[in-house]
Amino acid sequence: MDIKTARAALIAATETLDASGMNVGTTGNISVRTADGMLITPTGIATSALRPEQMVPMRLDGSWDAPFRPSSEWEMHAEIYKAFPDAGAVVHAHPDHCVALSCLREGLPLFHYMVAGFGGDDVRCSDYALFASSELAKAAVVALKDRNACLLANHGMIAFGGDLGAALIRTIKLETLARQYLLARSAGTPVLIKGSELAAIRGRYKTYGQQK
């Protein structure tokens, strides 16, 4: 994806998250990997006011040469790109049900087979760390080990994918599952899928939902 296309794609993705209720106001941030580092949404600009030229090209050491400041959570994105070579895009959002679960400091257990689509038998909740801090970036990387999404304690969620479309889908899917899990808990105690079933679920996922 060339830079011009990537700038437009970041705005479109931000609009998708807002329309889906994943973010409100200026919350959340999105980035895509580039040859020199990443292109990330700017800090403090509402979606309705975003323009392509406001997207910020950055190096993964945190340096940038642009008139607009990057998202305050840039370090979390940068550390994910460093730690996970298959990450081509990162989405950080504050959807209601992910935030609610993160405030309980609980992860999402294997109550539904689709949880396995995030890489394991759960979606972890990170340790708590101050927002926009190096500590939060490190905590996110730890929680993402062998996963492609996690909750951020008392904060929200973050997900990555090979491309922007995959990262967006995972974000929306995680919020959907968090909502369904909390709904099930409000009615009783969800029966979790046994860990012994995980291998079969992973095997089915190799071809699940894929065209030839």
Side-chain angles (χ1 to χ4, degrees), residues 109-153:
L110 193 63
F111 81 103
H112 190 288
Y113 72 86
M114 290 179 71
V115 171
F118 295 98
D121 61 357
D122 66 355
V123 174
R124 302 185 187 100
C125 182
S126 76
D127 289 340
Y128 175 77
L130 182 66
F131 67 93
S133 67
S134 297
E135 291 74 21
L136 178 60
K138 293 172 184 176
V141 168
V142 170
L144 285 167
K145 179 178 172 56
D146 300 319
R147 306 287 190 273
N148 51 49
C150 73
L151 300 175
L152 303 168

Side-chain angles (χ1 to χ4, degrees), residues 8-88:
L10 285 177
I11 293 178
T14 302
E15 291 172 342
T16 295
L17 289 183
D18 277 20
S20 302
M22 301 290 109
N23 284 321
V24 177
T26 62
T27 61
N29 31 79
I30 311 175
S31 69
V32 294
R33 189 192 290 270
T34 65
D36 299 323
M38 63 180 173
L39 185 69
I40 191 167
T41 50
T43 189
I45 301 178
T47 299
S48 60
L50 284 176
R51 301 292 179 266
E53 62 271 18
Q54 295 169 334
M55 304 301 108
V56 185
M58 296 188 71
R59 291 170 284 275
L60 298 185
D61 63 4
S63 60
W64 81 92
D65 302 304
F68 295 94
R69 293 177 59 197
S71 165
S72 59
E73 296 288 9
W74 68 266
E75 193 166 359
M76 191 158 50
H77 292 247
E79 290 302 316
I80 288 172
Y81 288 127
K82 291 176 187 177
F84 305 100
D86 56 334

